[in-house]
Amino acid sequence: MDELLLIPGPTQVPPQVREATARQMINHRGPRFTALYQEVQQDLRPLFGSGGEDILIFPSSGTGVMESAVANLFSPGDRVLATVMGEFGERFAAIAEAYGLQVDRLRVPAGAALTAEEIAGHLDREGPGRYRGVLVTHNETSTGVLLDLPAVARAVKERGLLLAVDAVSSVGGVEVRCADWGVDVLVTASQKALMTPPGLGLVYVAPAAWEAVERARLPRYYWDYRRARQAQAKGQTPYTPAVSLWYGLRAALAALHREGLAQVFLRHRRMAGAFRAGARALGLELLADDEVASPLVTAVRAPAGRDAGEIIRALREDEGVVVAGGQGELKGRIFRVAHMGAATPEQMVRALAALGRVLRRLGLADDPEAGAEAARRVLEEAAVSGR
Ligand code: PMP
């Protein structure tokens, strides 16, 4: 039985991307790499909504480029507001603390989203001059919540603060328009909606943010955006690039553009809608309300008195469906199913059929087919309405 991988990264890697990563090495200081560099940049810009700027690409996981954002924007003693909707918001805060910044946290309970009004209200209560910047998570993968980034960006920029965005699990699956929204730095990674193996960290730096990068006094070397920018002028990276992953990313980007970005984003919304309807039809509760639900990952509550680990294990061992557990205090209380990257609506139906059988065997569902059926209905209605 083929394993169906539905964790929120690494996600499934399509065959042509896997094949592309197996190519022979090339001289990373020669014309062939520069050609690869330019193709990748051209295809990346629309995914970030870059106004024409190149994206900095480091061999790194997502956490590394989150760290790079902190190191490049701030100076010792700066105070930042970390908005925390879950584990990854907390991670951004912890990185800033590790660099010696003063960090205030603005939190919401798991499954809720912070609103632009709440963030603006907090900033205004604290008054001008307290903060140098704001750290946000676009798609909080630990709870399955999407931030209203355009509204939040507006609130932060109206107050003259720097905005750093963890978009590790959103770029490629949901619209991102850095230049229009006024984001200063936005980071992502290769292994999620970009359906490439783990190992590339990608960074958008706004033209207006370079002044802050020049002024910043935190220590940095490998992560120094100025060195990366100098190399970019030659179509290169400052240090040896992960060439194989660049080949893979080029193939993945080609696939995304072949499908069309509007269609890719629609597919993600449909997968989320179908999965959420199916899970509810099986009698399960979702952690996030529909208004704030992520199109990329859904967190499902374990039935009362049960450990989510039981369901996760049965899905893997009996059904070959691999989903993720909760992190931190949500461990055992939720399981998370990604509908991200190369995942398909049909896979959501398959996962829900498997989930129905697992719940029945655990004595937790009367009608094991109800989930897959509900999902199929939602997908049929979407096909008719075009939404
Ligand atoms: N931020 C978010 C929103 C994420 O989903 C993840 C990965 N799950 C990370 C940061 C960390 O990325 P990595 O594991 O690649 O360091």
Side-chain angles (χ1 to χ4, degrees), residues 59-93:
S60 173
S61 86
T63 306
V65 279
M66 288 165 73
E67 180 160 336
S68 80
V70 170
N72 278 281
L73 286 175
F74 301 112
S75 299
D78 280 351
R79 185 179 288 276
V80 295
L81 178 67
T83 61
V84 179
M85 307 192 296
E87 285 291 309
F88 294 106
E90 177 51 38
R91 184 173 302 183
F92 223 172

Side-chain angles (χ1 to χ4, degrees), residues 82-149:
T83 61
V84 179
M85 307 192 296
E87 285 291 309
F88 294 106
E90 177 51 38
R91 184 173 302 183
F92 223 172
I95 291 169
E97 278 173 345
Y99 272 79
L101 299 188
Q102 303 194 59
V103 180
D104 290 352
R105 288 170 173 76
L106 184 62
R107 299 176 200 274
V108 281
L114 275 159
T115 64
E117 292 72 32
E118 283 166 327
I119 294 170
H122 178 91
L123 294 174
D124 291 343
R125 271 194 305 283
E126 296 298 327
R130 179 167 173 90
Y131 297 113
R132 172 90 176 121
V134 179
L135 312 178
V136 306
T137 317
H138 187 199
N139 186 65
E140 180 46 80
T141 325
S142 68
T143 59
V145 164
L146 187 74
L147 185 77
D148 183 356
L149 184 55

Side-chain angles (χ1 to χ4, degrees), residues 277-325:
R280 284 185 172 127
L282 287 168
L284 296 168
E285 278 178 34
L286 306 178
L287 186 63
D289 289 341
D290 289 340
E291 297 74 56
V292 297
S294 163
L296 298 116
V297 57
T298 298
V300 184
R301 289 183 194 275
R306 307 299 281 244
D307 192 307
E310 235 184 317
I311 296 171
I312 295 167
R313 194 176 331 106
L315 276 170
R316 183 182 66 236
E317 288 175 3
D318 306 340
E319 301 285 345
V321 176
V322 180
V323 303

